[in-house]
Amino acid sequence: MSARRLNSMAWPVLILGLGLMLAACDGDNFVQANPTMEVGVERIEFGAVAVGASAQRSLIVQNRGRNDLNLFGSFAGQDAGVFSLAEAELLIPAATQAEVQVIFTPEQVRRYEATLVLEGNDPDRPRVEVELGGDGYRQGILEVTPEEIDFGLVAAGRVAVEQVTIHNAGNGVLVVERIALSEDSPVDFQVLNSTQTPASIPADGRILLNVAYRPGIDSQPPDPGRLIIEASDPVNPSEEVLLKAQLNRAPLPDAGPDQEVQPLSLVELDASASSDPDGDEPLTYEWSLVRRPEGSGAVLDTEDQVQVSFVPDLVGVYEAQLYVTDSTGLRSLLPDRVSVVALPAEQLLVELVW
């Protein structure tokens, strides 16, 4: 076959091949349009985040391909549970980009590390990993001082006051949620402040509490009490202050039984039945004649002895009052009184007749 004839037959074949090549380049039936996933960073560092709070960072994912990118995110690693995504699945159209929102919520004060795994329908790069890191820290730190208060020996009817400091040693706000005495604390322990809870304490701020032991006339030696403070410190949410005290109970005066006597007879009053429940003896005595008939000049022969006497000089009611003081100097909270009624030996009846 001649060269001329070969060339004339090759032209149609060449033209057909060129057409097929062009169709392969431009025709939709011959080119697979794929998405292309590109991620700009290999690591995201959240820094220090307060325990219980959350921090959010944005990750830019680009689709440089000619088709939609279907993206799915998940986490791997021991600390994966403290990381999350605002949206786990995203569709990124061709030639666009999107922000993937990554959230870090630490649960404890420590370092956290995990891996964000992005998987998509890019056949050339179906999986991208981004390292994640962050630290949990305490925003508010609860410190309570002192750990124990000993009010010492407190006399009944008096009050002893000590101070408790609630300090926020952290670098963020501490919320004090509860200030209370435990249910088993004796009623004589009291918190004097009117601090309303919840109460916010700024960094390095303080709340001062006045705590009192106030025993009454019927109080008994107390068991220990506990002051409880609860706050938003995730590591140390509660502190207790031990409360202790010793009670000096007041002595009990006894002026003896009431009496009926004749006028001008000697009346003897005896306080020997007086006592001190704590055994703080000897006692000292303080008598006084607080009531007598009008015009009477009766007086006690003495006022500081266990036994005293007086002479009722008129018919009527006399009343003596007794205080006692124990060896610690504590006086009885209330006095005891004894009544003496002076009556004549014979009754005289007078009748007037008209």
Side-chain angles (χ1 to χ4, degrees):
M1 182 180 294
S2 66
R4 183 180 180 88
R5 179 174 176 78
L6 178 62
N7 291 337
S8 63
M9 295 178 63
W11 276 109
V13 175
L14 181 60
I15 293 172
L16 177 61
L18 181 60
L20 291 174
M21 291 175 63
L22 292 174
C25 293
D26 298 328
D28 292 338
N29 294 328
F30 298 94
V31 175
Q32 181 67 39
N34 294 320
T36 302
M37 177 168 55
E38 290 189 7
V39 179
V41 298
E42 297 180 352
R43 182 176 183 83
I44 297 176
E45 183 61 44
F46 286 85
V49 178
V51 172
S54 296
Q56 186 168 292
R57 299 287 186 272
S58 296
L59 174 66
I60 303 299
V61 179
Q62 294 181 325
N63 178 9
R64 295 185 176 273
R66 302 176 60 190
N67 205 346
D68 292 343
L69 173 63
N70 297 311
L71 192 66
F72 175 78
S74 61
F75 298 93
Q78 184 177 357
D79 297 331
V82 299
F83 295 94
S84 61
L85 293 172
E87 295 182 68
E89 298 184 29
L90 287 175
L91 187 148
I92 305 176
T96 64
Q97 66 182 27
E99 291 186 359
V100 177
Q101 302 296 334
V102 188
I103 303 169
F104 172 49
T105 308
E107 299 173 348
Q108 299 178 16
V109 179
R110 66 178 181 87
R111 177 68 180 171
Y112 291 90
E113 297 279 351
T115 301
L116 170 61
V117 180
L118 298 174
E119 297 176 288
N121 56 336
D122 180 351
D124 297 324
R125 196 184 187 191
R127 177 186 175 102
V128 174
E129 294 185 355
V130 178
E131 299 301 318
L132 306 174
D135 296 284
Y137 81 98
R138 292 162 69 179
Q139 186 173 15
I141 299 178
L142 175 63
E143 288 185 353
V144 178
T145 54
E147 297 179 356
E148 177 181 315
I149 292 177
D150 190 345
F151 291 94
L153 184 64
V154 181
R158 299 180 186 175
V159 58
V161 179
E162 297 289 344
Q163 200 165 75
V164 172
T165 301
I166 304 174
H167 176 221
N168 177 12
N171 55 3
V173 174
L174 176 73
V175 179
V176 178
E177 298 165 344
R178 180 171 177 254
I179 300 172
L181 294 167
S182 64
E183 293 183 357
D184 58 351
S185 294
V187 296
D188 295 333
F189 292 116
Q190 300 172 3
V191 179
L192 301 182
N193 296 57
S194 58
T195 301
Q196 298 292 324
T197 54
S200 296
I201 306 178
D204 200 35
R206 289 168 173 80
I207 290 178
L208 301 180
L209 297 178
N210 291 320
V211 183
Y213 175 58
R214 193 197 302 267
I217 188 172
D218 297 322
S219 296
Q220 298 298 316
D223 293 327
R226 292 177 296 126
L227 174 65
I228 302 172
I229 296 99
E230 297 176 355
S232 60
D233 182 345
V235 176
N236 184 37
S238 178
E239 284 282 359
E240 293 187 359
V241 179
L242 181 64
L243 306 177
K244 299 193 300 184
Q246 301 174 48
L247 172 62
N248 182 12
R249 290 173 287 183
L252 304 174
D254 189 338
D258 294 340
Q259 302 181 41
E260 288 187 0
V261 300
Q262 297 180 14
L264 303 180
S265 62
L266 181 65
V267 176
E268 294 185 347
L269 304 178
D270 189 348
S272 60
S274 301
S275 63
D276 184 84
D278 302 318
D280 297 326
E281 297 180 350
L283 303 177
T284 57
Y285 305 90
E286 181 184 340
W287 289 94
S288 60
L289 198 58
V290 295
R291 180 182 177 187
R292 56 191 173 186
E294 185 177 354
S296 171
V299 293
L300 298 174
D301 65 337
T302 184
E303 296 180 347
D304 59 358
Q305 300 299 312
V306 63
Q307 294 176 336
V308 298
S309 63
F310 74 97
V311 175
D313 53 354
L314 294 176
V315 172
V317 178
Y318 299 78
E319 193 170 61
Q321 176 177 277
L322 172 66
Y323 280 99
V324 292
T325 302
D326 67 16
S327 60
T328 69
L330 177 60
R331 190 188 194 213
S332 52
L333 300 182
L334 296 174
D336 188 33
R337 292 189 175 188
V338 57
S339 178
V340 177
V341 180
L343 297 174
E346 297 179 358
Q347 294 185 358
L348 177 62
L349 176 62
V350 178
E351 287 189 9
L352 296 180
V353 179
W354 285 268

